[in-house]
Structures are given as structure tokens and as C-alpha cells.
Amino acid sequence: MAKTCMIEKEKHRRALNKQYKERRKKLKATIMDKETTMEDRFTAVMKLAKLPRNSAAVRQRNRCELTGRPRGNYRKFKLCRIKIRELASNGQIPGMTKSSW
């Protein structure tokens, strides 16, 4: 189980990303558009820099939905490798069986 503070920090980052997503998208479009003036592009860069760092999607980390473990996650299941193995062994994941020979 991951530390509770780390899980909460990740929740906060996801909320900030959701809140600022449209603003960041518009500012980045302005910055990347070569037909806008250099002054407008520079002001867009400055506005983008003033937004919270944790609102960037790059700052998020995939975590296990059950334990909050940050490493060894499968995106399809949103679970870590340990929990996938446990659930598959118990037969709780539809269509997945643990192989044995």
C-alpha cells in the first residue's frame, strides 16, 4: 500500500489537470502557431509559465487503483502486477486464467 499523502497528491494533480486543461491547450496552440506575432507568443509563454506546474499532464503518474502502487502497472486494468496476479489466481478477472503446467 502506498503512502496516503502520495495518493492524495496524485488526486490533486488529476483535479488540477482537469481544471486547467482547456487553458493550457489554447496557450500551447498560440505558442505553436507560427503566424501569430512574437509578442503574442511570448505573452502566451509567460501565461503558461504562471499556471500551476501540477496542472501539466506530464506530472501525473499511473497508480494501482487498489493499492496506489506507482510501479508495475497495467494500463488496461489500472492495476499493479501484484494485484493482477492475485485477482487472476482467484478467478475474479473475467477471461483471464493463471496458467499452470
Side-chain angles (χ1 to χ4, degrees):
M1 190 71 186
K3 290 197 290 188
T4 310
C5 65
M6 298 306 287
I7 295 171
E8 291 301 317
K9 190 185 286 189
E10 195 63 40
K11 285 180 188 175
H12 182 68
R13 284 182 179 149
R14 291 194 190 283
L16 278 176
N17 184 3
K18 192 175 181 183
Q19 181 181 350
Y20 289 100
K21 192 171 200 164
E22 287 302 316
R23 274 191 238 178
R24 293 183 78 85
K25 194 174 183 180
K26 287 178 186 174
L27 288 171
K28 284 188 176 189
T30 306
I31 293 166
M32 297 305 287
D33 186 18
K34 300 294 180 188
E35 296 186 11
T36 57
T37 63
M38 285 299 286
E39 292 81 25
D40 292 339
R41 288 169 67 189
F42 184 73
T43 55
V45 169
M46 296 308 287
K47 285 181 183 177
L48 186 65
K50 290 205 189 251
L51 294 179
R53 285 186 178 184
N54 282 335
S55 66
V58 181
R59 306 268 296 199
Q60 294 179 9
R61 184 162 184 108
N62 291 334
R63 288 187 174 270
C64 176
E65 292 286 318
L66 298 177
T67 60
R69 190 175 200 277
R71 310 258 173 134
N73 286 298
Y74 288 82
R75 287 182 186 173
K76 183 176 180 180
F77 301 108
K78 296 184 181 176
L79 296 172
C80 64
R81 59 184 176 79
I82 298 164
K83 285 297 168 183
I84 284 181
R85 187 161 195 261
E86 286 178 11
L87 295 174
S89 295
N90 295 337
Q92 294 178 342
I93 300 176
M96 182 182 275
T97 55
K98 188 175 176 223
S99 64
S100 60
W101 59 85

